[in-house]
Amino acid sequence: MSDLRYAELQVTSNFSFLRGASSCEELFAEAKELGIAALAITDRNSLAGIVRAHQAAKDTGLLLVVVCRLDLADGMSLLAYPTNRAAYGLLCRLLSLGKQRGGKGMCHLEWADVVAYGDGLIAV
């Protein structure tokens, strides 16, 4: 029973403006204190916190789960977990498409976009 470890698979950092307050460094430090094995930084329509999260994970010895929260134009939200490097690249392209359509500070994505760029993504 002692081999079981908890992983938090939806954590918003301060890279999600007006939604998250803590930095990746603070989140990973607190997770280590609490004995959490892994964190998934799920910033809203962005992977902006992933680089700092990667470094914080290395510094604390915890596992980083790469994910992005996608808030679609129809009001649906989902978590998109890339399963490999190619899927990560597609997720980046999907976000670029949404940002291009939405304009400054916005992201406009439809379900059809997620399907088109979803190869290798696990959507929850």
Side-chain angles (χ1 to χ4, degrees):
M1 199 77 159
S2 64
D3 290 341
L4 296 177
R5 308 250 341 253
Y6 179 76
E8 181 56 59
L9 299 178
Q10 185 177 359
V11 178
T12 303
S13 79
N14 58 355
F15 282 95
S16 287
F17 185 62
L18 295 177
R19 294 187 185 252
S22 297
S23 69
C24 294
E25 296 81 5
E26 293 167 330
L27 292 168
F28 275 87
E30 185 66 19
K32 185 173 178 91
E33 282 289 314
L34 295 172
I36 295 173
L39 285 182
I41 300 298
T42 55
D43 287 316
R44 183 175 179 247
N45 293 328
S46 174
L47 292 168
I50 290 299
V51 172
R52 290 201 179 160
H54 174 73
Q55 187 60 53
K58 284 176 68 175
D59 292 346
T60 58
L62 300 181
L63 178 66
L64 167 64
V65 180
V66 176
V67 62
C68 179
R69 177 186 166 142
L70 300 176
D71 290 338
L72 305 182
D74 66 2
M76 180 193 302
S77 294
L78 59 107
L79 302 178
Y81 296 87
T83 59
N84 54 41
R85 187 175 179 158
Y88 181 84
L90 287 173
L91 178 57
C92 290
R93 293 174 102 183
L94 175 65
L95 290 168
S96 294
L97 173 69
K99 302 279 184 187
Q100 182 182 31
R101 279 188 197 147
K104 184 170 177 76
M106 303 296 290
C107 188
H108 183 97
L109 292 172
E110 303 285 342
W111 178 250
D113 302 325
V114 176
V115 172
Y117 288 86
D119 191 35
L121 289 180
I122 296 174
V124 178

